[in-house]
Amino acid sequence: MISRRRLLILAGASAAAAFAGVSPIAGSPEGTSKDPNVPRWAMLVDVDKCTECVKELIKKTGDPHVKPPCVVACDEFNNVPEFEDKKKDPQWMRIAKFSLDKESVEPEEFYMPLLCNHCEHPACAQVCPTKATFQRPDGIVMIDTHRCIGCRYCMIACPYGARSFNFEDPRKGLRHINPEVPTRSRGVVEKCTFCVQIVDEAMERGEAPEPACVKACRLYSKNALVFGNVKDPNSEISKLMRTGYVIQLRPGVGTDPYVFYKFIKERP
Amino acid sequence: MYSTKYVIAAIIIFLAIVTSPVWYDMASGEPIHPKLAKPTGAHCVENTEWMKAHHMLLLKDWRTMHVREGKVLYTSQTYGDVYNASIEECFKCHRSETNFCEKCHDYMGAKIECFECHTYPELVEEYNK
């Protein structure tokens, strides 16, 4: 029989533990590395250059859903399949059209790429019941598809809609396979990885990594995408971020995304 | 003993039926163990006998190392040389999945799930024709 005194102590202790946030279930994510030698990868999108490129392409092809070089390169490198049924079509990077309802401020519509934001506090990693989604010390949010059970909690948690579910075997929608990246199987979630294979390989050789989309944008388009280490104040991305007007997507949700969008002039 | 003739005949027929798979295998001339494609290269990552029995232990280790800890290189404990911790590394010597992995696993009745996602040389060739 438990004594009244002991019961009160136990009840008080568990209440205190719950208040302090010590929970056996939640398990706080480890977060990115504080070590200054470990990079923190981020991407900067120059929205004005991006808009220019997409508008030119649409004018040239007449197709409002045309894929610019960055998306094509991403699909090629990461074996992202293409399906007729757009509801089942996984997308790692897509181009979205925006227009402000205040025409006096910005009459033109603009285009930006949407991809995984590799947040500092990724909501997807926090809700994953198998810890398949996790954050690497260099900030890349990755999915360990060996562990993914396809519950799609992460897709609900992600405020950016960056994740896609494989409703079909992706190999059915592929015409070309890049052997460097595994294809996914039916029933797992996938998303942009900042081309983690390229990043790891470049780090091994001591070079600056350049994901497939960034490379394609530099070679075939307007050089609107910049990838780099934001911890290093002398890197290209850090220098560019000090110019112009840089925003994050949906900063209010507290995920602290690391894909930044740069405008030349300030837009409200 | 009654009807000895019939009993002995029945026993012989019974034994013949029971052992028929063995006779069939012998008569067909096919080797009982599957003939696997010969790998190139001097030796496997670890001791060959150990690899035959426990290759999945090594692959699981590599998986954790590479995906979760971000370590790309693995040093062999038997030979001391360095390997890329990836299933792609296997295909540098074992060029064929269908004539190596699949053949043995078919014979053993163990299902491989690796290649639902991971690519292998034959698949890549088929797609990139």
Side-chain angles (χ1 to χ4, degrees), chain B residues 13-127:
Chain B
I13 289 169
F14 173 73
L15 283 177
I17 291 171
V18 166
T19 54
S20 63
V22 179
W23 303 122
Y24 177 80
D25 255 10
M26 278 187 172
S28 69
E30 273 177 34
I32 294 175
H33 294 290
K35 243 194 143 53
L36 305 181
K38 263 252 171 285
T40 60
H43 56 71
C44 207
V45 177
E46 300 286 354
N47 180 293
T48 311
E49 287 309 308
W50 187 86
M51 286 299 289
K52 273 182 189 166
H54 303 297
H55 52 275
M56 199 58 213
L57 282 182
L58 184 86
L59 286 173
K60 276 182 180 165
D61 243 30
W62 280 12
R63 171 175 86 189
T64 315
M65 259 176 69
H66 198 146
V67 182
R68 303 211 70 103
E69 291 159 16
K71 290 181 209 148
V72 187
L73 298 177
Y74 172 82
T75 314
S76 165
Q77 290 181 18
T78 320
Y79 305 104
D81 35 7
V82 177
Y83 293 92
N84 223 339
S86 158
I87 202 164
E88 293 297 318
E89 194 79 353
C90 304
F91 295 123
K92 283 186 183 164
C93 295
H94 303 282
R95 294 284 167 75
S96 169
E97 191 267 336
T98 35
N99 284 325
F100 188 76
C101 312
E102 208 176 289
K103 217 167 192 180
C104 194
H105 272 257
D106 253 11
Y107 172 72
M108 297 300 290
K111 197 182 162 207
I112 324 178
E113 285 172 342
C114 309
F115 304 109
E116 285 175 16
C117 297
H118 287 280
T119 54
Y120 47 93
E122 280 113 331
L123 184 91
V124 175
E125 242 170 63
E126 193 193 311
Y127 270 86

Side-chain angles (χ1 to χ4, degrees), chain A residues 121-138:
Chain A
H121 308 293
C124 50
Q126 286 164 32
V127 297
C128 183
T130 59
K131 296 210 174 172
T133 297
F134 62 101
Q135 190 180 31
R136 300 190 348 159
D138 59 5

Side-chain angles (χ1 to χ4, degrees), chain A residues 72-150:
Chain A
V72 174
C74 172
D75 288 2
E76 282 282 304
F77 182 80
N78 291 305
N79 295 326
V80 182
E82 171 107 43
F83 289 115
E84 287 284 301
D85 184 358
K86 288 295 161 223
K87 281 181 185 166
K88 291 180 178 177
D89 188 31
Q91 286 170 323
W92 285 29
M93 189 187 214
R94 57 186 197 275
I95 304 292
K97 183 163 97 174
F98 293 86
S99 54
L100 291 187
D101 40 9
K102 267 191 186 166
E103 274 188 20
S104 56
V105 178
E106 175 58 58
E108 296 270 311
E109 55 213 9
F110 53 98
Y111 294 84
M112 348 200 273
L114 297 180
L115 62 155
C116 173
N117 282 269
H118 298 274
C119 309
E120 190 67 20
H121 308 293
C124 50
Q126 286 164 32
V127 297
C128 183
T130 59
K131 296 210 174 172
T133 297
F134 62 101
Q135 190 180 31
R136 300 190 348 159
D138 59 5
I140 295 179
V141 177
M142 241 174 91
I143 307 171
D144 183 353
T145 35
H146 303 104
R147 279 189 174 202
C148 181
I149 55 172

Side-chain angles (χ1 to χ4, degrees), chain A:
Chain A
M1 193 66 176
I2 192 163
S3 71
R4 180 185 299 182
R5 184 186 158 78
R6 209 169 147 62
L7 177 77
L8 284 174
I9 288 172
L10 274 176
S14 34
F19 189 72
V22 186
S23 163
I25 308 161
S28 61
E30 287 133 34
T32 52
S33 174
K34 300 278 182 292
D35 182 356
N37 296 322
V38 177
R40 176 54 166 106
W41 301 120
M43 193 183 278
L44 180 67
V45 181
D46 190 319
V47 181
D48 300 282
K49 282 183 189 170
C50 191
T51 305
E52 205 183 313
C53 161
V54 178
K55 275 187 178 164
E56 259 178 37
L57 268 179
I58 290 176
K59 207 185 229 177
K60 213 186 276 175
T61 57
D63 176 12
H65 302 292
V66 65
K67 283 185 174 176
C70 51
V71 180
V72 174
C74 172
D75 288 2
E76 282 282 304
F77 182 80
N78 291 305
N79 295 326
V80 182
E82 171 107 43
F83 289 115
E84 287 284 301
D85 184 358
K86 288 295 161 223
K87 281 181 185 166
K88 291 180 178 177
D89 188 31
Q91 286 170 323
W92 285 29
M93 189 187 214
R94 57 186 197 275
I95 304 292
K97 183 163 97 174
F98 293 86
S99 54
L100 291 187
D101 40 9
K102 267 191 186 166
E103 274 188 20
S104 56
V105 178
E106 175 58 58
E108 296 270 311
E109 55 213 9
F110 53 98
Y111 294 84
M112 348 200 273
L114 297 180
L115 62 155
C116 173
N117 282 269
H118 298 274
C119 309
E120 190 67 20
H121 308 293
C124 50
Q126 286 164 32
V127 297
C128 183
T130 59
K131 296 210 174 172
T133 297
F134 62 101
Q135 190 180 31
R136 300 190 348 159
D138 59 5
I140 295 179
V141 177
M142 241 174 91
I143 307 171
D144 183 353
T145 35
H146 303 104
R147 279 189 174 202
C148 181
I149 55 172
C151 70
R152 288 175 270 165
Y153 279 180
C154 51
M155 290 175 67
I156 300 164
C158 177
Y160 308 104
R163 291 168 163 258
S164 309
F165 185 69
N166 280 294
F167 288 98
E168 302 253 3
D169 182 3
R171 279 181 192 166
K172 282 189 208 157
L174 285 173
R175 270 166 296 155
H176 180 271
I177 282 186
N178 171 19
E180 279 174 65
V181 182
T183 67
R184 276 68 53 188
S185 68
R186 195 174 70 89
V188 299
V189 172
E190 64 179 53
K191 68 163 188 74
C192 159
T193 60
F194 269 171
C195 291
V196 76
Q197 288 84 359
I198 292 181
V199 172
D200 280 347
E201 212 184 296
M203 287 305 282
E204 198 109 304
R205 281 190 269 121
E207 296 167 5
E210 191 176 39
C213 54
V214 180
K215 193 175 177 187
C217 193
R218 180 172 59 81
L219 291 178
Y220 307 113
S221 190
K222 315 243 173 238
N223 206 0
L225 303 174
V226 180
F227 180 81
N229 176 12
V230 282
K231 269 191 195 168
D232 175 9
N234 297 319
S235 64
E236 197 193 348
I237 186 169
S238 300
K239 282 178 190 160
L240 280 172
M241 268 169 67
R242 283 184 226 119
T243 64
Y245 182 69
V246 177
I247 62 157
Q248 291 173 314
L249 292 185
R250 303 182 76 175
V253 290
T255 48
D256 194 6
Y258 267 64
V259 173
F260 301 97
Y261 295 85
K262 193 179 98 173
F263 296 86
I264 289 174
K265 60 175 179 184
E266 189 170 334
R267 286 183 175 89

